[in-house]
């Protein structure tokens, strides 16, 4: 029987991944290891709490004892746990270093000591930095610009170093901007949806012409599953949708779909060091058989519907939202 450890499983992508994994692996035992920071929410997995294949440990990935104990007998580790919000990293990067770098290094040491068979590290297209044109390939240089991106690039270097130095069987997956159900409402798409629903201003950084490659969380989780099963040890895989949108276009669509007026848009002082454009080339992962299934506009409509019916989930979280959008 496969024993799987997921870190950060109470967050947005981790919770979607756990739901998908359990639906596809009836014989697996899955342990969710999460500190429950402001972004961690047990409500995200309420529907599977009673599943006897699932268990939960509340702990910090930078605690070596907790990491080693959770990893005993673990076949597969999927490492999502991170401080994930760029705005917060600009205000104070200390937790980003502690969790994203030291925490990852702690897990790597425990994985090596416990003989974990596969370590799947979740990373981001933000490690490439801003691209004026084209799409980044896995071998392109990293050029992280925000403290968040710098901490994720650093974590990747430690994963690679553990693979090269100790032979740790690691695979890295770099995802583009995710959206979908259970995303904390300080992130761009749920912030705009929930503000629009509440008839509150939609704060847009600068001119709003920032381009992101939007991938639905289910497609990203499928990409991670495939990389876990068929990815080559020591390799890195980009996972992007090919659906590029300027922020202002996303906002215009959200306003249209929620029936709110364009007068709700507020241009605010730009984010410091704001990356203009991200784009990745995902041919390497696609050659293994993965392809995103969900189209952006249709999935955005579904996501809006999910937030409309899930006000009891997101309304209490709005009080925890931090932004440098002023
Ligand atoms: P999230 O902020 O929604 O969730 C993070 C989870 O990690 C939370 O449940 C939190 O409690 C947990 N956590 C934080 N610090 C911890 C610690 N020290 N010990 C144990 N648990 C801890 O993040 P997300 O958006 O789901 O992102 C998950 C991963 O995917 C991150 O590594 C992120 O860098 C990466 N990623 C995210 C996106 C995106 O668009 N959201 C895109 C590409 C990659």
């Amino acid at each position: 029987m496969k024993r799987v450890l997921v870190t950060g499983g109470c967050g947005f992508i981790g919770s979607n991944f756990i739901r998908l994994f359990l639906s596809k692996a009836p014989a697996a035992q899955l342990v969710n290891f999460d500190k429950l920071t402001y972004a961690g929410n047990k409500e995200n997995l309420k529907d599977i709490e009673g599943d006897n294949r699932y268990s939960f440990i509340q702990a910090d990935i930078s605690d070596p004892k907790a990491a080693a104990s959770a990893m005993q007998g673990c076949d597969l580790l999927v490492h999502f746990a991170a401080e994930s919000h760029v705005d917060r990293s600009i205000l104070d990067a200390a937790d980003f270093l502690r969790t994203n770098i030291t925490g990852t290094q702690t897990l790597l040491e425990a994985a090596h000591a416990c003989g974990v068979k596969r370590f799947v590290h979740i990373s981001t297209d933000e490690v490439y930095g801003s691209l004026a044109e084209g799409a980044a390939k896995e071998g392109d240089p990293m050029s992280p610009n925000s403290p968040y991106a710098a901490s994720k690039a650093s974590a990747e270097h430690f994963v690679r170093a553990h693979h090269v130095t100790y032979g740790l069987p690691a695979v890295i997956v770099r995802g583009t901007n995710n959206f979908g159900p259970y995303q904390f409402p300080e992130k761009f798409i749920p912030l705009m949806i929930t503000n629009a629903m509440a008839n509150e201003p939609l704060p847009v950084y600068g001119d709003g012409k920032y381009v992101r490659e939007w991938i639905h969380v289910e497609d990203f989780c499928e990409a991670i599953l495939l990389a876990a099963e068929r990815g080559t040890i020591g390799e890195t895989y980009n996972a992007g949708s090919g659906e590029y949108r300027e922020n202002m276009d996303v906002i215009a669509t959200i306003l249209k779909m929620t029936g709110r007026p364009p007068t709700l848009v507020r241009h605010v002082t730009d984010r410091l060091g704001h990356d203009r454009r991200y784009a990745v080339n995902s041919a390497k992962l696609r050659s293994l058989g993965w392809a995103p299934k969900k189209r952006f506009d249709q999935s955005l409509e579904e996501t809006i519907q999910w937030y409309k019916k899930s006000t009891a989930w997101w309304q209490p979280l709005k009080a925890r939202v931090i932004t440098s959008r002023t």
Side-chain angles (χ1 to χ4, degrees):
M1 182 186 298
K2 206 173 202 174
R3 190 174 141 85
V4 184
L5 185 66
V6 172
T7 69
C10 290
F12 162 50
I13 305 175
S15 59
N16 278 283
F17 178 81
I18 289 175
R19 194 170 287 107
L20 178 74
F21 189 91
L22 289 175
S23 75
K24 296 208 167 186
Q29 284 294 325
L30 189 146
V31 180
N32 174 11
F33 183 106
D34 196 301
K35 184 179 174 183
L36 295 180
T37 65
Y38 78 94
N41 188 350
K42 286 180 94 176
E43 292 291 314
N44 297 6
L45 288 168
K46 212 160 179 49
D47 51 325
I48 62 132
E49 253 173 13
D51 190 321
N52 58 15
R53 296 170 298 160
Y54 170 79
S55 56
F56 174 68
I57 297 171
Q58 183 173 2
D60 190 324
I61 56 165
S62 40
D63 172 348
K65 275 194 191 146
S69 138
M71 234 175 271
Q72 291 303 323
C74 169
D75 299 301
L76 168 67
L77 170 70
V78 188
H79 173 34
F80 293 97
E83 287 295 335
S84 68
H85 191 41
V86 174
D87 285 351
R88 287 181 188 252
S89 80
I90 292 168
L91 294 170
D92 183 357
D95 282 346
F96 290 73
L97 272 71
R98 257 192 301 274
T99 289
N100 300 3
I101 305 175
T102 308
T104 299
Q105 162 69 5
T106 307
L107 288 177
L108 289 164
E109 283 175 7
H112 174 53
C114 296
V116 164
K117 297 199 185 78
R118 188 165 281 228
F119 188 117
V120 180
H121 177 74
I122 308 307
S123 192
T124 165
D125 60 352
E126 300 194 28
V127 298
Y128 295 114
S130 196
L131 269 68
E133 57 188 26
K137 289 190 173 157
E138 289 83 353
D140 289 354
M142 291 191 198
S143 192
N145 292 319
S146 71
Y148 162 69
S151 71
K152 294 295 290 184
S154 176
E156 277 201 36
H157 285 309
F158 277 99
V159 175
R160 188 172 175 279
H162 271 259
H163 167 65
V164 173
T165 307
Y166 308 108
L168 186 82
V171 172
I172 296 172
V173 187
R174 292 181 184 147
T176 59
N177 276 56
N178 276 236
F179 70 105
Y182 298 104
Q183 187 166 29
F184 194 79
E186 71 187 359
K187 297 287 171 61
F188 178 74
I189 284 183
L191 175 71
M192 297 305 159
I193 294 174
T194 55
N195 279 19
M197 284 170 62
N199 273 308
E200 283 172 14
L202 274 53
V204 183
Y205 279 136
D207 62 7
K209 292 184 178 296
Y210 292 87
V211 176
R212 298 295 182 257
E213 184 177 354
W214 289 102
I215 186 168
H216 191 271
V217 65
E218 282 171 23
D219 281 330
F220 186 45
C221 290
E222 294 275 7
I224 296 165
L225 262 187
L226 187 75
E229 283 161 11
R230 305 233 300 272
T232 304
I233 297 296
E235 292 293 322
T236 297
Y237 296 91
N238 288 335
S241 62
E243 298 250 37
Y244 307 104
R245 294 286 187 286
E246 282 187 4
N247 286 350
M248 281 311 293
D249 292 339
V250 176
I251 286 172
T253 309
I254 290 173
L255 287 172
K256 202 168 150 208
M257 288 176 175
T258 51
R260 297 295 191 265
T263 48
L264 278 184
V265 172
R266 288 290 137 78
H267 287 274
V268 298
T269 309
D270 210 346
R271 172 189 274 170
L272 295 172
H274 205 167
D275 283 337
R276 198 70 173 161
R277 178 176 170 274
Y278 299 132
V280 298
N281 178 321
S282 310
K284 192 170 161 186
L285 192 60
R286 285 171 189 247
S287 74
L288 294 184
W290 172 79
K293 295 190 189 98
K294 299 188 73 103
R295 305 301 302 170
F296 181 76
D297 292 322
Q298 167 75 27
S299 306
L300 184 59
E301 173 76 59
E302 286 166 20
T303 302
I304 290 171
Q305 294 310 325
W306 186 87
Y307 279 87
K308 274 189 181 161
K309 70 171 197 274
S310 308
T311 46
W313 177 84
W314 61 261
Q315 267 171 345
L317 305 179
K318 283 294 248 186
R320 293 193 225 156
V321 167
I322 281 188
T323 180
S324 47
R325 291 172 196 260
T326 51

